[in-house]
Amino acid sequence: MSALLVLKFGGELLEDPARLATVVGAVAAMTAQGTPVAIVHGGGKEIDAALKVAGIPKQQVEGLRITDDRTLDVVVSVLAGTINTRFVGALTTAGVKAVGLTGADAACGLVDPAPPHRMVDGTQVDLQRVGIPADDADPAVVSLLADRGFVPVIACIGLGRDGRLYNVNADTFAGHLAARLGARRLTIAGTTAGVLDEAGVTVPMLDPAGIDALIASGTATAGMIAKLRSCEQALAAGVHDVVIVDGLDGRALESAARSDAPARATRLVPATVKA
């Protein structure tokens, strides 16, 4: 297991200047302490806004974006252009040696076309230009940059074997990258304090059985289903643990860089690990 920490930031943390400043401050603190970091980011809300301006209908199923060719053009423009450049610029200004990438760079995000998505009710939906990380994706460029003190900042755009670009769920991208790099931890930051139960209270620890129970009960819905399944896949692929944390809390983000999980966060663990 390497010392690398993989961080995934939801786009909702990167569009507002105050939220972005919190994220940047936390990453700067981590790197100042010598923590090697690689970052994956999404950008759902800004993509939605750009689609609206372009007159393209938003299509989603259980938190996954159905991506036709026109939608993909917008996704690439927003993720790889607007958000990635803004984020890298803010990190660089804060003294972080950030480098912007997409999955197309050195095939670090090589993907295969996603199979039809099976919904909870059994219905199958074609996600179109959506990719799933390939087992032979080569994350060497990410490892090389992190080893030399740089912070790779990766927009979740995948590269197909035919040279076409694909939209990739950011949680799935981050989980696969963490597994391929043997990261010591995957931290997923959004705008809630971990995974919440039916009473709105943070669940401190979840294993695969607990994930299934949350989904079956209807407590976890839409985007959270996709997030939890991505975490489950990361654990199955060898990531030691996954922490879902409130990205609005800078101290919680910094705590996630250490071995302890921050308060009011959810730690997801393999079935063999007991609370």
Side-chain angles (χ1 to χ4, degrees):
M1 181 176 66
S2 75
L4 182 69
L5 174 67
V6 174
L7 300 171
K8 180 268 176 174
F9 292 109
E12 67 273 15
L13 295 172
L14 308 177
E15 59 184 10
D16 175 78
R19 292 180 175 184
L20 178 60
T22 297
V23 167
V24 167
V27 173
M30 294 175 197
T31 57
Q33 295 170 2
T35 301
V37 171
I39 295 172
V40 175
H41 71 82
K45 288 187 177 180
E46 289 192 69
I47 291 171
D48 290 347
L51 287 172
K52 185 175 182 180
V53 170
I56 301 172
K58 172 184 174 180
Q59 303 177 76
Q60 279 192 315
V61 55
E62 293 184 349
L64 300 174
R65 189 181 300 277
I66 298 172
T67 309
D68 58 18
D69 290 347
R70 294 176 67 207
T71 298
L72 181 69
D73 287 342
V74 173
V75 169
V76 172
S77 175
V78 173
L79 285 180
T82 304
I83 299 176
N84 191 270
T85 304
R86 180 202 305 143
F87 194 9
V88 168
L91 287 166
T92 301
T93 302
V96 177
K97 295 164 64 176
V99 179
L101 301 173
T102 72
D105 289 289
C108 68
L110 186 69
V111 299
D112 294 314
H117 173 69
R118 182 179 293 276
M119 298 175 60
V120 173
D121 65 5
T123 303
Q124 291 194 332
V125 179
D126 181 7
L127 299 176
Q128 299 186 48
R129 291 287 292 279
V130 172
I132 55 172
D135 289 340
D136 55 340
D138 184 1
V141 66
V142 179
S143 180
L144 179 64
L145 287 167
D147 287 347
R148 296 192 176 184
F150 294 94
V151 175
V153 182
I154 310 165
C156 56
I157 301 297
L159 176 68
R161 299 178 194 278
D162 58 359
R164 298 202 303 169
L165 299 179
Y166 286 81
N167 184 20
V168 184
N169 177 272
D171 295 311
T172 302
F173 194 119
H176 185 267
L177 181 69
R180 292 283 292 163
L181 293 172
R184 64 179 176 84
R185 170 171 284 177
L186 167 63
T187 296
I188 295 179
T191 55
T192 59
V195 179
L196 307 182
D197 63 18
E198 63 278 0
V201 177
T202 300
V203 179
M205 185 173 287
L206 276 175
D207 63 9
I211 292 173
D212 288 341
L214 280 176
I215 294 173
S217 69
T219 302
T221 59
M224 184 53 72
I225 293 176
K227 190 180 300 294
L228 289 173
R229 289 305 187 200
S230 297
C231 293
E232 188 175 29
Q233 291 165 7
L235 292 170
V239 177
H240 180 64
D241 70 354
V242 181
V243 174
I244 299 179
V245 66
D246 185 358
L248 301 175
D249 184 342
R251 289 187 177 181
L253 282 173
E254 291 179 45
S255 178
R258 302 190 292 269
S259 59
D260 58 316
R264 297 186 67 238
T266 300
R267 182 177 176 223
L268 294 101
V269 297
T272 55
V273 177
K274 303 297 183 183

